[in-house]
Amino acid sequence: MSDLFAKFAPVAKIRDDILATGVSDPYGLVMERVESPTVAICNGRRTILLGTYNYMGMTFDPDVIAAGKKALEEFGSGTTGSRVLNGTYSGHKECEKALRDFYRMDHAMIFSTGYQANLGIISTLAGKEDYIILDIDSHASIYDGCALGNAQIVPFRHNDVEALEKRLKRLPPEAGKLVVLEGVYSMLGDIAPLKEMVRISKENGALVLVDEAHSMGFIGENGRGVAEAQGVIDEVDFIIGTFSKSVGTVGGFCVSNHPEFEILRLVCRPYVFTASLPPSVVATAATSIRKLMQGADKRAHLWANSKRLHAGLKQLGFTLGTDEPQSAIIAVIMPDLETGVHMWEALLEEGLYVNLARPPATPAGMTLLRCSLCSEHSEGQVGEILGMFEAAGKATGCIS
Ligand SMILES: Cc1ncc(COP(=O)(O)O)c(C=O)c1O
């Protein structure tokens, strides 16, 4: 009889080899107490958080918390039902209205997570006979959306405009085509050349979906993302986003101006066949989204933090994912997995948490220490972070 677990042996071996070096499990960290968007207690000590995606620091916003408490008291702890049955409360409609106002789009549909938003929208739009043309470094939820819909997948080289055009031109002109892009690619923190890619996609008869998970709230004059910053938001057919990053809670969404969008509510399985978000979550999300509309000062401070950390790490001698800061994600490239794990642990002992990322999640087999800044990090904290990187980098031999 075949062992169903045998296929996990390579991953188990990597984990066991790492643990055999004596380091603590990088995927087993517990946040014992969370004091603010930028500080938690881990292993009993004060730890600066630099790997949370809490870009706009909304998790402890007093208005957001008050809205969540009120909804919890007034509507209970959960909806116990699908959006198309008993799971649509006034809070879900208000949250969708907040999204429509934020993006200035006609339609908004909320999912239980961003993962499910990609899964649902992509699999529903593009079925067996259709083509999905996507950047090879796309997020797992995008790939899983392609697989669920059984679409033909046509990947192209990361951020390569010519490769996208070549792939599109080779496809049958009459076939259904969906081009799927991301605003910010979360592993290296680089942004997509959306202006050119959206134009080429449209010239070749494709609809365009952009996942703006890592840019909402921060990038673009009004925080609408990279498509806004590059002046093509009106040409994008679908924007996917999440509440688990800048919005500071949990949930996902799709916004669109497509005239037939609303039919998706009846045919999108990851929307129909799951319970809707709890009232407290949609209330916190709606309040947060409306506050992000007034987030210009926070955006400016976050850019300043990003630039300062990027320049400081470069000066210390670390190799970074981008030459210039392009987003609030700064990826520090490690020479190998073992060094990466040791550096991750050394930083934690200094009092700094970053994300450790490794293959298969990372491109080109890289091990990365991914730093994501928050608008609530003070200048002083950015200075502390640089000091910690210097100490840990020297102790582990990453820098001299
Ligand atoms: C690009 C991208 N899309 C979608 C998601 C999924 O978001 P969520 O955490 O809401 O499931 C993520 C989360 O990491 C992401 O990075």
Side-chain angles (χ1 to χ4, degrees), residues 53 113-115 118 139 141 182 186 211 213-214 242-245 251:
Y53 306 130
T113 63
Y115 176 90
N118 271 330
H139 189 258
S141 55
E182 292 179 36
S186 66
D211 180 334
H214 293 274
T242 174
F243 298 159
S244 73
K245 306 192 194 301

Side-chain angles (χ1 to χ4, degrees), residues 15-57:
R15 178 202 58 195
D16 295 347
D17 288 351
I18 290 172
L19 295 181
T21 67
V23 297
S24 59
D25 180 2
Y27 300 105
L29 183 76
V30 177
M31 303 271 157
E32 289 143 14
R33 220 171 57 232
V34 181
E35 294 186 349
S36 73
T38 62
V39 174
I41 306 297
C42 302
N43 300 325
R45 68 165 296 166
R46 177 184 176 272
T47 303
I48 297 182
L49 301 173
L50 191 67
T52 65
Y53 306 130
N54 195 354
Y55 300 120
M56 299 294 277

Side-chain angles (χ1 to χ4, degrees), residues 100-119:
R100 290 201 305 273
D101 291 348
F102 183 89
Y103 282 100
R104 297 217 191 127
M105 295 229 177
D106 295 340
H107 307 280
M109 191 168 159
I110 297 174
F111 289 80
S112 300
T113 63
Y115 176 90
Q116 272 177 268
N118 271 330
L119 200 66

